[in-house]
Amino acid sequence: MGEKQKNAKKISSFRLWLSRIITIISLGVFIYAAYNLGDILIDYYKNRQLMDEMQGLYYEADDEGTPEGSIRPGFEPLLELNEDVVGWITIDGTRIDYPILQAEDNFHYLTRNFYHEESRAGSIYLDYRNDIRLENEKNVVLYGHRMRDGSMFENLTKYLDKEFFDTHRTIQFDTLYESYEGEIFAVYHTLTSFNYIQTAFDNNEEFGELLDEIYATTLHTTDVEVTEDDMILTLSTCDYKLDPEEGRLVVQAKLTKKEL
């Protein structure tokens, strides 16, 4: 066998070996990606099943005739499962129809579901600084993830569309003790450097300053008048438009107590 033939054989063997290595690596990458995708889809499925379960328990109860200041019947079966339940939020035209939880910090339910299990979807939760009786609150803040399957607070992105904003302005916000209607007046992208989640104010004038900044930031104009004497509901979720880490999408509504 000539020298050229030996070299050609070596090159052919090397190419075959390299091809097999690339195939094995590609197969490994595919299996890893498929495993991760499967894990994500399972997590989405479990979250949907869990929310269906919670909705079934909540809506089966009859709230009529509940004494003022008492825990409303719809929350009783939920509280038996998790004492951190503090409310419920519903927005027509979206998939937002969830229980609200509250922990001793703003991190616990970021990555945990209703049963305290690790979950990508986390939970919808109330800022730990808010008092759910809302007696002296000015800014009630709720947090939630934006999931790719459209769950949790992903549908807040619908409010970026002016037509949707104009036709779906009402939020149903229920606490353990009372029922409120929220009239949406602001939607905007922002950064965490803007303290839109401020919950304590030295006086009404300071709250008024926050309202002025909100009105100056909102993407859509509205005829809803929010004064220093009012209370607002703030819905906050992550957003990548301004910054992948510090970006936020915010929807805010004026809260009015309903007569049960």
Side-chain angles (χ1 to χ4, degrees), residues 230-241:
D230 291 318
M231 175 170 57
I232 65 173
L233 176 67
T234 295
L235 310 183
S236 175
T237 191
C238 291
D239 187 78
Y240 310 110
K241 181 178 177 64

Side-chain angles (χ1 to χ4, degrees), residues 94-259:
T94 76
R95 291 176 57 181
I96 298 172
D97 188 20
Y98 302 124
I100 302 167
L101 305 171
Q102 185 181 41
E104 295 181 352
D105 57 52
N106 283 339
F107 302 101
H108 182 80
Y109 285 111
L110 183 67
T111 57
R112 290 181 177 86
N113 66 18
F114 187 91
Y115 292 115
H116 302 280
E117 300 166 337
E118 286 292 329
S119 168
R120 288 181 177 84
S123 300
I124 304 302
Y125 60 96
L126 176 68
D127 193 296
Y128 77 98
R129 299 168 296 177
N130 284 129
D131 181 352
I132 195 54
R133 286 191 177 272
L134 308 186
E135 293 176 349
N136 298 302
E137 299 297 325
K138 303 299 289 183
N139 187 15
V140 182
V141 185
L142 301 183
Y143 304 94
H145 284 305
R146 284 174 55 183
M147 305 306 294
R148 292 183 179 179
D149 67 342
S151 63
M152 311 316 280
F153 272 176
E154 166 59 27
N155 279 179
L156 291 184
T157 59
K158 289 187 174 185
Y159 283 100
L160 297 173
D161 178 74
K162 185 63 165 59
E163 182 178 354
F164 187 87
F165 172 83
D166 288 337
T167 56
H168 297 81
R169 295 277 292 281
T170 303
I171 297 175
Q172 175 70 26
F173 175 62
D174 296 319
T175 73
L176 297 178
Y177 312 100
E178 306 288 352
S179 183
Y180 295 82
E181 183 174 278
E183 189 173 8
I184 297 173
F185 69 95
V187 179
Y188 53 89
H189 300 282
T190 190
L191 299 171
T192 54
S193 55
F194 173 31
N195 192 19
Y196 65 93
I197 61 170
Q198 181 178 355
T199 59
F201 302 88
D202 292 334
N203 47 55
N204 281 355
E205 289 72 23
E206 186 178 2
F207 179 57
E209 291 173 3
L210 174 63
L211 292 177
D212 289 341
E213 190 163 0
I214 291 171
Y215 272 115
T217 307
T218 184
L219 298 172
H220 309 310
T221 57
T222 173
D223 57 359
V224 178
E225 182 181 0
V226 186
T227 71
E228 298 173 357
D229 296 321
D230 291 318
M231 175 170 57
I232 65 173
L233 176 67
T234 295
L235 310 183
S236 175
T237 191
C238 291
D239 187 78
Y240 310 110
K241 181 178 177 64
L242 300 181
D243 186 271
E245 298 294 332
E246 305 299 324
R248 296 293 185 270
L249 174 63
V250 183
V251 174
Q252 291 173 305
K254 175 182 177 179
L255 282 179
T256 304
K257 184 178 176 181
K258 296 170 66 177
E259 296 298 326

